[in-house]
Amino acid sequence: MQVRTVRWLAAPVVAGVVAAAGLSLMNPVTDAGAGKPKPPAVRNVIFIVGDGMAAAHREAARLYHAGLNGRLIMDKFPVSGQLTTSPDDPESAITDSAAGASAWATGVATYNGAISVDPDGNPLPVLGAEAKRAGKATGLVTTAQVTDASPAAFFSNSVDRGAQDDIARQYLEVSKPDVILGGGEDWWLPAGTPGAYPDQPAEDPTEGSRGTKGNLITQAQAAGYRYVSTPAQLAAAGRGKLLGLFANQEMFQQRAEGEGDIYDPVVSLSTMTKKALENLSADRDGFFLLVEEEGVDEFAHRNNARRTLQTMGELDKAVAVARAYAANHRDTLVVVTGDHETGGLAVEDVDADDESVGEDGPFPVKGTGFEFFIDWTTDGHTGQDVPVTAFGPYAERFTGKHPNTYVHEVLQPLLTS
């Protein structure tokens, strides 16, 4: 502490001596790029999450969808780096989605299950609400419940990620995102009040309305949101505040392969992303949009490689939508990353002598005669770093290896200036 004080006091003296000698001080961080043109101001930020996605998920998807010499759209971005994912949890060094997304949204590491509160349970400012206060339009798109951990962390505070009905209430009464698209209708309606998606559907009889905050869909409509629940209604919806719920819970059934696993969303992630961009881009002050593919995580939890590859392909289609938008709007920053790794996934060669228990496959390498296996080491999360790729102004700030809280450090000034 003493050393820091002395150095701080000495800095003006040193500067004065240098100036008196006719010399100049150079800050290697801020001055190294002197003379180079500054990137354009960031007006829009699109933050895209492959929940549970790490490097091996991207590599498996690259081989399957793009081929041996191909690249996913998310891997064509000019800037790449790494993020660590450790939470601040007294019981675990491995993060869950709630703590991971909270680190992005607040810049503070916290405990598993927390939605943008600090380790003591105190609520923190969140990026979605901060961007809204700065005058930007905001929105979220996900194949999970719209109130699930990742979107919730950007637009609400809760000591328990399971309080999804209260998270929905906060969307309407506190953070007020302009566009909300995804699953989770059950949390917006009280028990015994089924909505567009009936309770106890054949594919999952455990699903059904379960909210405790009243009819939040009616409340949303009273607050000016247009409510849609079908592809036709979504396509017909004009610009303005939009709430679209397209499933009771997640927009898929996350089971092991051949045991009722279904990935066939009523509306695709890329379609929802395109609609959100159409609506949000009408705001002259810019926007913040969160896009999440939840299926990567859920199917990796089930060690279901076929569906994991399918959801990775759908995620990359949404990335393509965002990349095309940013190419035509040079003031747009697009960031793609994952909150943690799920499954301990490894990409392996075809080997008859490999006795791995958790193998899935073989899967074709697109455009070749090669095949590969996917091997699983767990049905939970691991502590692997996750890749981050970025496109647009200030993308270079994601170069290098950083803690996940660094996302907030980069995005918060861009969204609030």
Side-chain angles (χ1 to χ4, degrees):
M1 200 68 182
Q2 182 69 27
V3 172
R4 288 185 179 181
T5 303
V6 170
R7 287 178 177 171
W8 180 81
L9 290 173
V13 176
V14 173
V17 171
V18 172
L23 303 175
S24 63
L25 284 172
M26 177 180 176
N27 183 322
V29 175
T30 59
D31 297 341
K36 294 182 179 180
K38 290 184 178 180
V42 174
R43 182 168 168 265
N44 313 308
V45 173
I46 307 172
F47 189 73
I48 304 178
V49 180
D51 199 299
M53 178 183 70
H57 298 73
R58 292 172 76 145
E59 175 61 9
R62 184 186 74 84
L63 294 173
Y64 185 74
H65 291 289
L68 197 61
N69 298 311
R71 289 189 293 169
L72 299 173
I73 299 299
M74 67 181 78
D75 291 333
K76 292 181 179 180
F77 285 19
V79 174
S80 65
Q82 290 178 287
L83 299 174
T84 60
T85 63
S86 302
D88 185 0
D89 189 294
E91 299 179 358
S92 179
I94 308 301
T95 195
D96 77 340
S97 293
S102 295
W104 294 332
T106 69
V108 176
T110 191
Y111 61 89
N112 290 336
I115 298 295
S116 294
V117 297
D118 68 18
D120 295 321
N122 301 304
L124 299 164
V126 295
L127 276 179
E130 288 186 284
K132 187 75 170 182
R133 283 194 294 272
K136 293 186 180 295
T138 59
L140 62 97
V141 170
T142 179
T143 55
Q145 303 94 332
V146 295
T147 48
D148 198 26
S150 296
F154 285 88
F155 293 97
S156 67
N157 307 99
S158 178
V159 296
D160 178 10
R161 62 179 288 177
Q164 293 194 52
D165 50 356
D166 187 64
I167 289 166
R169 179 196 63 78
Q170 291 184 55
Y171 287 177
L172 299 181
E173 298 178 3
V174 183
S175 57
K176 302 179 180 179
D178 298 277
V179 175
I180 304 169
L181 300 176
E185 184 190 58
D186 286 352
W187 295 100
W188 294 71
L189 296 167
T193 308
Y197 294 88
D199 291 352
Q200 290 83 51
E203 60 271 18
D204 187 354
T206 67
E207 294 181 350
S209 300
R210 62 193 65 193
T212 65
K213 304 299 179 182
N215 190 323
L216 295 178
I217 292 176
T218 299
Q219 184 176 330
Q221 291 171 320
Y225 285 86
R226 179 168 181 174
Y227 177 61
V228 299
S229 59
T230 69
Q233 291 172 353
L234 179 65
R239 292 182 175 178
K241 297 168 70 174
L242 182 61
L243 169 64
L245 302 175
F246 305 104
N248 281 328
Q249 295 291 332
E250 297 94 346
M251 296 176 68
F252 49 84
Q253 295 297 328
Q254 65 274 36
R255 297 192 179 95
E257 189 171 346
E259 298 181 11
D261 52 319
I262 301 171
Y263 185 89
D264 187 22
V266 171
V267 183
S268 70
L269 184 67
S270 56
T271 298
M272 292 190 292
T273 301
K274 184 177 180 181
K275 188 65 175 183
L277 290 172
E278 289 174 359
N279 279 37
L280 297 176
S281 62
D283 193 308
R284 293 182 179 180
D285 295 317
F287 63 81
F288 168 69
L289 174 63
L290 171 74
V291 178
E292 178 197 32
E293 176 52 75
E294 174 70 12
V296 179
D297 176 65
E298 297 286 3
F299 287 112
H301 273 300
R302 298 289 183 160
N303 292 172
N304 187 331
R306 184 168 71 94
R307 296 297 186 194
T308 300
L309 290 171
Q310 182 183 2
T311 57
M312 283 293 300
E314 293 302 306
L315 172 63
D316 207 45
K317 291 176 184 176
V319 173
V321 171
R323 170 65 177 78
Y325 180 90
N328 291 316
H329 299 81
R330 303 300 294 273
D331 51 5
T332 300
L333 171 64
V334 184
V335 181
V336 182
T337 191
D339 50 356
H340 53 72
E341 195 278 344
T342 302
L345 188 156
V347 179
E348 295 187 345
D349 202 356
V350 176
D351 183 356
D353 296 326
D354 188 342
E355 299 179 355
S356 299
V357 175
E359 273 190 346
D360 248 345
F363 299 100
V365 177
K366 185 177 181 179
T368 75
F370 295 120
E371 295 181 317
F372 66 95
F373 276 90
I374 285 178
D375 204 359
W376 305 98
T377 61
T378 179
D379 60 4
H381 299 172
T382 72
Q384 296 180 32
D385 292 348
V386 294
V388 54
T389 47
F391 172 86
Y394 295 93
E396 71 281 355
R397 295 191 178 183
F398 287 98
T399 303
K401 183 173 179 176
H402 306 277
N404 53 5
T405 52
Y406 179 74
V407 169
H408 182 272
E409 182 180 331
V410 174
L411 296 188
Q412 199 269 351
L414 301 179
L415 288 169
T416 58
S417 60

